[in-house]
Amino acid sequence: ECILSADGHLGAVIEYARSQDVEVLGFEDSVMSYAGYRRLADEFGPESLRPTSGITQGARVIKEDCEIARIRRAAGIVDEALTGFLEGLEPGITEKEAAFELDRRILVGGADAMAFETILASGPSAACPHARPSSRVLREGDMVKVDVGARLDGYCSDITRTVFLGEPDARFIEVYSIVYDAQCAALDGVAPGVACNEIDGIARDHIAAAGYGDEFSHGLGHGVGLEVHEAPRLSARSTDTLAAGMVVTIEPGIYLE
C-alpha cells in the first residue's frame, strides 16, 4: 500500500499509525534521527516506541522479480552511458567536466536521478577509493576510475570502471588483470548458501597471492536495492550468507599511491 503525505515520510508514518490505532511503534535505531525520535515521542509517547535493528533491511534483502528488473534497468542505463562516454574520453577536460557529462548521459538515458555523487578520479587521486571529481585536467597516461550509479523507479545501480588514457603501460595491465581475474573468480563463487566472507576471501586471496594484499583496503561488495549500500555485506568480517534473490556488487580493487 502506498501512503503519501505532504508532511514527508515521517508524517506519512504518523498518519498511517494513527489510522491503524497502533499502540507500539518500532523504529530503526541506526537510521532514526533524534529530531525524528522526539517527534514520534511527542505524538505517541516515548513508552510506545521500541528501538529495533535490521527489520527493514531484513525484509528487503531478498528481492522480488519486479525489483530485480528495476535494478537491472538501472544498471543497463549506466552501462550504456558508460560505453559511449569512456570510448570518447580524452585528455584536456577536468574531472568535474567529465563527471558532469557522464551524469548528463545517464539522466538523458532514462534515469530518474543519480544514485549517489559520481566518483571520477584521475592520476594520483584514483588511489583514493572515494575521491570526488576535482578541477584536475585529465592527461595522457592517466588512469581514470569511475564509480557511478543510477536511480530508476526507486531502485539503484552501482558500477565501477577503470580506463587508461592512451596506451596502457605494463604496470597498469598487470594490476588491472589481477583485479579482473579476482572479480571473475569471486563471481564464479557466487551461489545460494555460500558465506559472504567466503566470496570476499576468494578475491582477497587472489590479490594477496599476486603481492597486492595490503592494497585491497575495503570489503568486496554489498547489497544494492532501494539504497546503494544495503544488506548483505561481502567482507572478511561479514556473517551474512547468500540466498536466491539477493543482489550484490562484486568490486575488488588495488589502490596504489
Side-chain angles (χ1 to χ4, degrees), residues 8 30 35 41 50 56 58 66 74 95 101 108 111 134 138 174 176 183 190 193 203 205 236 247:
S30 63
R50 300 288 188 273
T56 56
C66 62
E95 293 174 353
E101 171 59 19
V108 170
S134 71
L138 302 185
E174 175 202 5
Y176 186 98
Q183 185 188 41
V190 170
D205 290 348
V247 178

Side-chain angles (χ1 to χ4, degrees), residues 175-197:
V175 174
Y176 186 98
S177 298
I178 293 168
V179 174
Y180 178 79
D181 290 343
Q183 185 188 41
C184 290
L187 284 168
D188 287 342
V190 170
V194 179
C196 289
N197 61 4

Side-chain angles (χ1 to χ4, degrees), residues 10 32-46 49:
L10 200 55
M32 175 68 69
S33 68
Y34 182 69
Y37 173 83
R38 286 305 316 161
R39 184 175 176 191
L40 292 178
D42 290 342
E43 293 284 347
F44 300 102
L49 304 181

Side-chain angles (χ1 to χ4, degrees), residues 85 88-103 118-123 125 132-140 142-146 165:
F85 169 78
L89 190 62
E90 295 181 350
I93 64 172
T94 67
E95 293 174 353
K96 287 183 178 180
E97 289 171 329
F100 181 84
E101 171 59 19
L102 178 55
D103 290 357
T118 295
I119 296 171
L120 191 147
S122 63
S125 63
R132 296 300 185 219
S134 71
S135 297
R136 183 184 186 275
V137 176
L138 302 185
R139 306 169 188 173
E140 185 83 9
D142 274 348
M143 181 180 69
V144 182
K145 177 186 64 189
V146 180
L165 294 183

Side-chain angles (χ1 to χ4, degrees), residues 70 73 112 151-155 226:
R70 291 176 180 180
R73 289 198 297 271
D112 295 330
R151 184 180 298 276
L152 181 67
D153 295 335
Y155 288 81
L226 291 173

